[in-house]
Amino acid sequence: MIVAIDGPAGAGKSTVARRLAQRLGFRYLDTGAMYRAVTWLARERGIDPDDEQALAALARENPVELELSGTVMIGGHDVTMPIRSAEIDRMVPIVARHPAVREVMRARQRELADAGDAVIEGRDIGTVVATDAEVKVYLDADPLIRAGRRQAERPGIGADALVTDLRVRDASDAERTLVASDAHLIDTTELEIDDVVTRIEELVRERLPA
């Protein structure tokens, strides 16, 4: 079974998807981390983030690995921590907007999804990557709440800067942050993480074989 969780930055996708996967015994696939990994490798190798074809070739030649432990690997490097830096935050929307890069990454995401039961989170999972997912969820929240959550993850960045970055990120991601027609919409603004996880778990349990 595939559970697709989409939504904008700061809506709680990663935390919810990770906890849900743990509860269900499913694999957790963080597609945002995959784009971040390619962005990190491109920076390390001096590839211009505007060079679409070079980036696509890099992604194709260095498939991202998402290990069960949560470790993110690319090109033989453990990039689990480095990809969460503010610099990668700023660069990844530029890398991810290229159609050729998205084509390569979506193919890789489908390969990983085909390995069995998984919770996959991103921005276009239910609409493009896994259109036949048995459960689709779209998470959203008030922009100020989303910015606050991002600040908790990155305490070294000022609140005003994060609000601005989030606004820019939303505009950049708008084209691929879409709501599937059959997705369940959940506003997480006033909900605790476990409440969101429980709601989605109930949807999944309803569709699991008896």
Side-chain angles (χ1 to χ4, degrees), residues 31-111:
T31 62
M34 296 175 71
Y35 282 101
R36 287 173 174 274
V38 172
T39 301
W40 179 90
L41 190 60
R43 187 193 62 177
E44 290 295 299
R45 297 190 179 179
I47 297 176
D48 188 331
D50 288 319
D51 190 337
E52 180 174 359
Q53 296 309 315
L55 291 167
L58 182 73
R60 189 178 303 108
E61 295 163 6
N62 298 274
V64 180
E65 297 289 345
L66 300 177
E67 300 183 357
L68 290 176
S69 63
T71 300
V72 182
M73 301 288 298
I74 188 170
H77 301 280
D78 178 348
V79 297
T80 311
M81 297 304 294
I83 62 173
R84 301 299 174 182
S85 71
E87 183 176 2
I88 298 301
D89 277 356
R90 290 189 291 270
M91 289 179 63
V92 69
I94 302 172
V95 173
R97 74 186 179 196
H98 298 301
V101 174
R102 294 204 301 273
E103 181 179 351
V104 173
M105 298 301 286
R106 286 165 175 164
R108 178 59 178 155
Q109 289 157 16
R110 293 187 184 106
E111 286 180 0

Side-chain angles (χ1 to χ4, degrees), residues 48 198 207:
D48 188 331
T198 297
R207 289 163 177 75

